[in-house]
Amino acid sequence: MPRKKLGIVIFNEVEVLDFCGPFEVFSVTRINEERRREESSPFEQFLISQSGEPVKTTGGMKVIPDVTFESCPNLDILVVPGGLGALVEMRNDAMLTFVRSRASKAETLASVCPGSLILGYAGLLEGLPATTHWYFLQMMQELFPKVTVDSKSHVVKAGRVLTSAGISAGIDMALHLVADHYGESVARATARHMEYRFPDNNERRIAL
């Protein structure tokens, strides 16, 4: 079975768990749990940045990307995380051009936290339901009046587009994505390996 090429965009002031949470989910996924040690994940992951220079996250962690916008291979799945840096990147023409281009060819497009604002500025949420971190819900509604902002759900799926609430919600989004591509049993086994509770409901985890 060919591995899915999955890219996660990173940038300065990206939220650590926004991209590391999904990265962990995708890296420990196995189709055959009994052959966990012999088999690799069905996802081949790439961390993507504009320049390829080390990225400094919100907490100060420095991360070395795998590829640049220019050298990134074709992707089956594109994930756009958030963090305070997303508020800069949502107005970065190079970022928006890259996301539009890759989203047009990908099977699945996903965001975590205010990564959805990048998707919104790229014109990829028009007419769709979507969500984001609770702090940015009102901003999303004001910026993108044609988006149906969902304040109740932890993860919102609209066809091939998934958006999720804040930070830790990226883990749930990634498990949803695993289930979509490889079935719920594989997703549940992945969550069990992580000792993480599988999301049996989709209610937002905090009261607004």
Side-chain angles (χ1 to χ4, degrees):
M1 177 187 297
R3 300 174 77 194
K4 298 283 186 185
K5 292 188 182 297
L6 188 152
I8 304 177
V9 180
I10 58 173
F11 41 83
N12 285 325
E13 296 298 313
V14 65
E15 184 70 46
V16 173
L17 195 57
D18 276 19
F19 75 94
C20 287
F23 190 99
E24 178 70 9
V25 172
F26 300 133
S27 68
V28 302
T29 298
R30 297 291 186 275
I31 301 300
N32 184 349
E33 185 65 29
E34 294 181 358
R35 291 182 54 82
R36 169 164 291 280
R37 293 189 177 184
E38 292 79 22
E39 293 184 357
S40 59
S41 166
F43 301 101
E44 181 182 5
Q45 297 192 78
F46 302 89
L47 293 178
I48 312 159
S49 76
Q50 182 173 343
S51 69
E53 294 296 316
V55 164
K56 189 174 181 181
T57 71
T58 52
M61 177 193 294
K62 292 182 180 178
V63 182
I64 300 175
D66 298 303
V67 294
T68 65
F69 288 176
E70 186 175 349
S71 65
C72 181
N74 292 330
L75 299 173
D76 299 300
I77 301 163
L78 176 63
V79 177
V80 182
L84 293 178
L87 303 182
V88 175
E89 296 300 323
M90 69 185 189
R91 301 179 190 274
N92 176 357
D93 287 340
M95 173 66 75
L96 300 181
T97 298
F98 174 79
V99 170
R100 283 191 205 100
S101 172
R102 296 316 177 107
S104 68
K105 301 172 184 176
E107 297 175 15
T108 304
L109 175 65
S111 69
V112 186
C113 216
S116 58
L117 301 182
I118 296 175
L119 301 189
Y121 267 94
L124 299 170
L125 298 181
E126 291 284 302
L128 300 179
T131 196
T132 188
H133 189 287
W134 63 265
Y135 186 84
F136 297 102
L137 289 169
Q138 183 175 347
M139 178 187 289
M140 173 182 265
Q141 189 67 83
E142 292 171 353
L143 289 173
F144 313 114
K146 294 183 180 179
V147 173
T148 302
V149 177
D150 186 335
S151 62
K152 304 295 184 183
S153 301
H154 205 51
V155 178
V156 175
K157 183 179 178 185
R160 68 188 187 95
V161 180
L162 286 81
T163 55
S164 60
I167 309 180
S168 62
I171 297 174
D172 298 72
M173 179 279 295
L175 289 169
H176 275 275
L177 197 153
V178 172
D180 286 346
H181 284 274
Y182 298 107
E184 185 174 312
S185 62
V186 172
R188 285 185 176 275
T190 301
R192 186 174 187 274
H193 180 78
M194 293 174 62
E195 295 203 33
Y196 185 82
R197 187 183 298 278
F198 187 81
D200 287 310
N201 69 69
N202 195 31
E203 296 178 4
R204 190 172 285 263
R205 302 293 187 261
I206 62 167
L208 300 180

